[in-house]
Structures are given as structure tokens and as C-alpha cells.
Amino acid sequence: MQAIQLSDHFTRKRLLRFSLPSIVMMVFTSVYGVVDGYFVSNYTGKTPFAAVNLVMPFLMVMGSVGFMFGTGGGALIAKTMGEGKEEKAQELFSLTVYASIVCGLVLTGAGLLLLRPFARLMGAEGALLENSLLYGVINLIALPFYVLQFEFQCLFATAEKPKLGLYVTVAAGVTNMVLDWLFVAVLPWGLVGAAAATATSQFIGGVFPLIYFGRKNSSRLRLTRCRLQFRPLRRICANGSSELMSNISMSLVSMLYNVQLMQYAGEDGIAAYGVLMYVSMIFQAIFIGYSVGTAPIISYHYGAQNRAELKSLLRKGVSLIAIGALCMFAAGELFSAPLSRLFVAYDEGLLQMTTHAFAIFSFSFLFSGFAINGSSFFTALNDGLTSALISFLRTLLFQAAAVLIFPLLWGLDGIWFSIVAAEVMAVAVTIFFLLKKQKHYGY
């Protein structure tokens, strides 16, 4: 089968073919992230499980820098390739990777200093606090590799090697799953084993791409020597700020949800929310994977000033997202009980709470994909400001407002409904910006 190039004309079938490795890659990343939760919950109990959920937003904030460099750098690199400037694209690629490594090292130090104050701020005490610190410290040591793993998940598509990115992710994921089983289910390592399994998989996901791109390869990109250039670096960071904002906002909102849930439902509420987030990561990974996979195509044709193809890509993308949204909503409603039972079958009260919450939460899948893809579309057009604004409103402002107000009206159910309401408002904002910017970008 002939390899697909960024310069091609894309039908819906060709879009799915090119983006499918990125979709599977993101889903697989989410699945093996969930494995930690499964083994911790079922083999060590709900307090360690709550600890993982408590500290995970903190780790996600740190790791999200990788998405910033990956999406922001990928958009600028692909646009530069569309303009026919291959040598400059190589320099931008190298600058992006080197800067992310330095950033990851700095964040590791900062994270180790801030982890305990953060856990205390979230209300962790006693065993919950100690478990949170244990899991967090081990993962922070591997943070530079986590950053690289996130980054290369985006850059493999830009290099026209999405399948290779999938293979690396599968290798890292299988490592995590096998080691989780070995360290937690077989050996009595508990939470330490789960953290060590995750850290090892992140090392594989970050180092293998470095080796590949550091040598002569068959992709369009290779790591080379480059000068420290602050102007393109600022542009990369600004353009990828929406993805950084999205991850930071989601993490901050998760902290707010945890505080509210601790008040309304205690540790059971946090555990139930953890299940929702794990499953949501898998479902939304489909939308994120499609957006990551198609972003370089949009950037390339924007750089080449092919407006007819831009218009076609947007329309085809919306129709594919709509089909995916309906399928995911149906799956969420159908499998809410089995998925909940997978994590918390050992506690009947917690199981009932989680199943009920999931049935409400599933309605968010009808809307989330459109806002995710809309934000990514503007990042691909190198319009980081608009993309960041959509992400900020969707993941922080709308959700924070809803989770503070809705529980006053509907109690615990108000917390679950707040997620759905935020996604509905985010779709409205996305439509507004798409219509407003249509003439400027010619899509």
C-alpha cells in the first residue's frame, strides 16, 4: 500500500488511514495508564487508589509540557515543510526536542519540591499522604522521559511516520502492563511496583524515538545541530499553549473536583471520579488521536496556501467526529456498569455510585470531540491564541464554574452534570470562532 504524504489530497478514508495509528496510539497510552489504576484498586485497596487519583493531576501538569512542544512544534514544522523549507524544518524539529529535554529536567526538580505541599493542599493526611508521595516521587524521576513520550506522539505524524509512533507506544504500553502484573499482582510491591512499571514504560517511550531520530532514518525529520533561537521557540510554545492550557486546566479542575467530592462523598467520591477519568481518557483519546494525526496535514496545506484542501479537511473532520461522538455515547451508556465493576466491584456502595455517575457522564461524549478538534484545528493553523482560548474556556472556566454551582442545586449529581454542561458550552464557543475566522483562513 502506497505511503500517505502530507501533500496528498485527503478523502475521509485517507484521513482515517493516516490518523488511525495516532488514534490507536493515544487510546493505547490511555489504556496502559488505566492499568495502574486497575491493579492498585484491586490489589492494594481504595486508599492507595485514591492516592494515585489525587496525585495524577499534578503529574499531568508536569508532563503536559510535552504536548505543548509536540503540537506547537509539529504545527510550525509542518507549515515550514509546506512552504518548501526542508532544512529549516529540521532545525525547528531539533530545537523543539532539545528544549523539551531541558524543560523536563527543570520540572523534575520543581516537582520534587512541590509534591508534598500540593498533596497537603488537596487534603491528604496520614496513609493517603504517604501513598501520594510514594507514587509521585517515583514518577517524577521519570518525568523527562514522560515529556518526550508525549512530544514524540505528536511529532511522529509530522515526520510522516505515524505507524512507527504506534509501535513505540505499544512497546511502552506492553512493558507497563506486564510489569504492573508482575510488580503488583505477583510480587508484593504494591504502589511502588505500579509507579516503577509506569516509569519504566515512560523511559522506553521517550528514549527509543530519540535514538531513531538521532540517526539517519527514512522519515522527513532528523535531529541535527541547531542554534538556540528564542523567536521560533517562543512561537512554538505560544502555538502549543492551548494543549498545555488544556492539560493544566484539566488537572486544576480535577483538583477542584476532588475537593468538592471529598466534601460531598469522601474518599468514595474521589475513587468514583477516578474511574470516570480513566474511562474518559480512553474515550477522549480517540478524538485527541484523530486531532494529533490530522494536525500536520492541516498545517502543511496551510503553509502551501491550499485553501480548498483546508475547507475539505474541516468538513470531513466534523462529520467523522460526529459519528465517533454518537458511537462513544452509546458505548458509555451500554457499558457503564461493566466498566465500573472492573475497578470497584469489591465495594457495592462505591460500585452503585460509580455506575450512576457514569450514566450521567456519558452525555459529555456527544460534545467533547468537537471542541477538542476545533482547538487542535486552530493550533494547526498556527493560531495558538484562539486554540488556547477554546481550551481555557472548555477545560477550566466552564468546568470550574459548573462544579462550584451545580452541587449547590443538585448535590452530588450536580458534580457529574457539571462536566456535561461545560462541554456543551465549549461546543458553542468553538462554533463561534470557526465562523468568525472562516474568511481569514479561507476554510
Side-chain angles (χ1 to χ4, degrees):
M1 189 175 292
Q2 186 178 2
I4 300 175
Q5 298 179 329
L6 298 179
S7 56
D8 291 348
H9 167 68
F10 283 82
T11 60
R12 287 181 180 83
K13 183 178 179 180
R14 190 174 283 261
L15 272 175
L16 286 174
R17 268 188 57 204
F18 189 81
S19 62
L20 186 60
S22 295
I23 293 172
V24 176
M25 179 170 60
M26 288 296 176
V27 169
F28 201 81
T29 300
S30 301
V31 167
Y32 81 70
V34 169
V35 171
D36 268 7
Y38 170 79
F39 279 102
V40 170
S41 180
N42 284 279
Y43 288 91
T44 65
K46 64 183 179 182
T47 296
F49 182 51
V52 172
N53 295 324
L54 192 73
V55 79
M56 188 58 69
F58 182 82
L59 298 173
M60 288 296 295
V61 167
M62 300 292 183
S64 62
V65 170
F67 261 127
M68 178 188 72
F69 282 109
T71 55
L76 186 57
I77 293 163
K79 177 177 177 290
T80 305
M81 289 193 295
E83 294 168 345
K85 303 173 183 176
E86 293 290 336
E87 187 175 341
K88 184 179 179 182
Q90 302 286 356
E91 293 178 0
L92 289 171
F93 171 69
S94 302
L95 179 65
T96 301
V97 174
Y98 299 151
S100 69
I101 293 173
V102 174
C103 227
L105 292 170
V106 171
L107 287 172
T108 293
L112 291 172
L113 290 174
L114 296 173
L115 181 61
R116 181 179 288 272
F118 164 79
R120 288 189 179 279
L121 182 65
M122 291 296 100
E125 298 176 349
L128 184 60
L129 174 62
E130 294 308 312
N131 282 319
S132 298
L133 295 177
L134 192 62
Y135 187 82
V137 167
I138 296 172
N139 277 279
L140 281 169
I141 293 171
L143 183 65
F145 307 114
Y146 189 35
V147 169
L148 284 171
Q149 183 178 20
F150 267 156
E151 177 181 40
F152 282 120
Q153 284 176 344
C154 304
L155 293 178
F156 270 118
T158 307
E160 295 181 345
K161 290 290 182 179
K163 288 184 180 179
L164 183 58
L166 173 60
Y167 299 151
V168 172
T169 301
V170 169
V174 170
T175 298
N176 188 64
M177 292 176 185
V178 171
L179 292 182
D180 261 327
W181 169 78
L182 177 63
F183 293 164
V184 182
V186 178
L187 300 175
W189 292 6
L191 201 59
V192 172
T198 300
T200 304
S201 71
Q202 290 166 355
F203 175 83
I204 292 172
V207 171
F208 279 14
L210 270 182
I211 296 172
Y212 175 79
F213 286 113
R215 305 170 62 185
K216 187 176 181 180
N217 59 74
S218 59
S219 79
R220 295 187 67 166
L221 298 173
R222 183 183 177 183
L223 290 171
T224 61
R225 291 184 178 181
C226 67
R227 295 179 293 109
L228 178 59
Q229 304 173 67
F230 288 104
R231 186 174 179 180
L233 198 55
R234 284 196 300 268
R235 190 173 176 186
I236 288 167
C237 293
N239 197 40
S241 62
S242 60
E243 279 65 29
L244 178 64
M245 175 64 69
S246 178
N247 280 278
I248 290 177
S249 297
M250 284 191 293
S251 298
L252 291 173
V253 168
S254 293
M255 299 172 199
L256 183 57
Y257 271 89
N258 284 335
V259 170
Q260 289 285 79
L261 285 164
M262 186 68 82
Q263 178 182 347
Y264 282 87
E267 282 190 14
D268 280 6
I270 294 179
Y273 180 65
V275 175
L276 296 188
M277 290 302 99
Y278 280 134
V279 178
S280 175
M281 282 167 57
I282 297 173
F283 278 47
Q284 294 200 13
I286 297 174
F287 296 132
I288 296 171
Y290 174 81
S291 300
V292 166
T294 57
I297 303 169
I298 296 165
S299 298
Y300 185 95
H301 286 285
Y302 174 58
Q305 290 296 296
N306 189 349
R307 296 194 167 192
E309 188 67 16
L310 280 179
K311 187 175 184 178
S312 172
L313 288 167
L314 177 60
R315 291 186 174 181
K316 291 182 175 75
V318 169
S319 63
L320 290 171
I321 291 292
I323 294 170
L326 290 171
C327 292
M328 280 183 237
F329 168 69
E333 291 295 314
L334 186 62
F335 297 113
S336 58
L339 288 171
S340 300
R341 193 173 292 112
L342 181 67
F343 287 91
V344 293
Y346 55 81
D347 188 315
E348 184 60 31
L350 179 56
L351 175 61
Q352 291 181 6
M353 177 190 293
T354 306
T355 303
H356 175 69
F358 203 106
I360 297 172
F361 178 76
S362 294
F363 281 90
S364 67
F365 298 137
L366 289 171
F367 308 99
S368 59
F370 296 101
I372 290 171
N373 192 58
S375 176
S376 176
F377 185 77
F378 284 110
T379 297
L381 294 174
N382 285 258
D383 187 349
L385 179 61
T386 301
S387 180
L389 189 55
I390 293 173
S391 293
F392 170 77
L393 292 172
R394 171 180 172 261
T395 57
L396 184 59
L397 186 62
F398 291 155
Q399 287 210 40
V403 78
L404 288 172
I405 296 171
F406 282 26
L408 300 176
L409 303 174
W410 299 296
L412 183 59
D413 277 355
I415 297 178
W416 313 130
F417 276 115
S418 63
I419 303 170
V420 182
E423 296 291 5
V424 172
M425 290 185 282
V427 171
V429 169
T430 303
I431 293 172
F432 168 78
F433 280 117
L434 285 171
L435 294 175
K436 182 180 180 182
K437 301 274 187 175
Q438 186 174 18
K439 287 185 179 180
H440 178 72
Y441 290 111
Y443 52 73

